[in-house]
Amino acid sequence: MTSRTDLSGFLKGASVQVDLTRVLLTAARGGVRISRELRRAGLSGETGATGDINVQGEAVKKMDVIANQILVEAFSMAGDVAWVASEEMEEPLALRSGAPYSVLFDPLDGSSSVDTGGSVGSIVSIQRAPHAGGDRREALLQRGSAQSAACYINYGPATTLVLTTGSGAHLFCLDPESEDFILSAQGLRIPEKGKLYATNEGQRTYYHLSTRRLLDFLQTPDRVDGRPYSTRYSGCLVTDVHRILLEGGIYLYPADTRDPKKAHGKLRLLYECAPLAMVVEQAGGKASTGLAPILEVQPTEIHQRVPLYIGSPREVSLAEEFEMGKR
Ligand code: AHM
Ligand code: MG
C-alpha cells in the first residue's frame, strides 16, 4: 500500500502554527459534513429553495442554510475563532473574544447547481483577529494580502480541497471511506498560459466594451497564439477556478452595465475573490479586478463586490491590458 499523508499530518510536517492548523482542520471537517449532506440532499428533502431572499438579494436554497449552519457550528466550537462572517449572514457573528483568528466564508458557492447534480463549493478565508477585538466591521475589513490562510472545497465527482498558508497551494482528495483529506498534489503550479476561459457569456450584451473586446480577442483564431480559446463555465466559481488552476486559462466575472447597484460585478471580495486569489497566486497565477490586484483591494464593506479576473498570469495580464485601455 502506498503511504498516505492526511491533512493534519501535512500541516504538522509543514510547521503550520498549531492554532491555524486547528482552524483549517475545522474548515475541512465542515467540508466533510457538507459533502455528506450534499450526497443525501435528494433523499432527505434538502433540495430546492427556502423561499427566503438573502442579504445579497438572492434566493436562498435549503442547502445554503444547512452548509452555513454546519460551518458556523464548527467554528463556534473551535475555540480559536473570534468572528465569523458569511455570505448567508447579514452581520458577522462574534464567537470568542480574544481568539486569534476571524473566518469569512461562502458556505455553498454555486448552490443553484445542487438540484441538478452540478458541482458546488465552499470558500474559506482565515485572517488574524485584532487583539482587542475592535469594532466588528472594522476588524474584518482586511486586505486579501493580510490573510493567514485560504482554502476552497470542490464537491464534484470527488470532493477536493485546495489550501494555502502562504507557502504554496496544495491539493487534497477526500477519501469517502475514512473521511480524511489525503494529500494528492503538493506545490501546485498553474500553467503560465491556458486554452480555456470561463464567463457567463449570455450576459455579454451588458459587458463593457473593453470586456467584449477581450472576448473577441480570445475567440479570434490565431494558430501561433493558441486561439480561439474554448469556453468552460459551470456556474460555480469554485469549480471553474479549480479547473483553471489545474489546466490554465482565465475565469472572469466582470463589472457590467446591467444593474447600477451591482456596478462591480457579482462576486464578493472578502469570502470569494480574496481567498481564491491567495490560492491561485500561491500557485503562480494572478487575480485582478482588471485594474488592480485583488489582494490589494482595501475592503469597505463585508459583502463588497468586485470584478474578478483570475487564472494564468498570461491571460490575466492580457485582460488587464484590455480593461486598462492599453489594447
Ligand atoms: P453564489 O455564491 O450565490 O452561488 O453566487 C456566486 C456564483 C458563482 O459560483 C458563479 O460563478 C456565479 O455566481 C454565477 O453567476 P451567473 O449565474 O450570473 O453566471
Ligand atoms: Mg459564491
Side-chain angles (χ1 to χ4, degrees), residues 58 87 106 108-112 200 233 235-238 240 251 253 258 266-268 272:
E58 293 153 359
E87 177 178 326
D106 179 354
L108 201 60
D109 179 57
S111 56
S112 69
N200 183 347
Y233 189 70
C236 174
L237 170 69
V238 170
D240 289 328
Y251 173 100
Y253 207 111
R258 174 177 29 177
K266 175 181 183 185
L267 301 175
R268 278 60 49 128
E272 290 182 317

Side-chain angles (χ1 to χ4, degrees), residues 5 12 29 39 49 54 80 124 137 161-162 219 222-223 239 246 256 304 317:
T5 305
K12 197 169 173 197
R29 272 195 301 275
R39 286 202 304 274
N54 70 8
D80 296 293
V124 178
R137 289 198 161 273
L161 180 150
V162 179
Q219 292 161 3
D222 181 323
R223 209 151 16 105
T239 301
L246 299 180
D256 67 38
Q304 180 174 343
S317 299

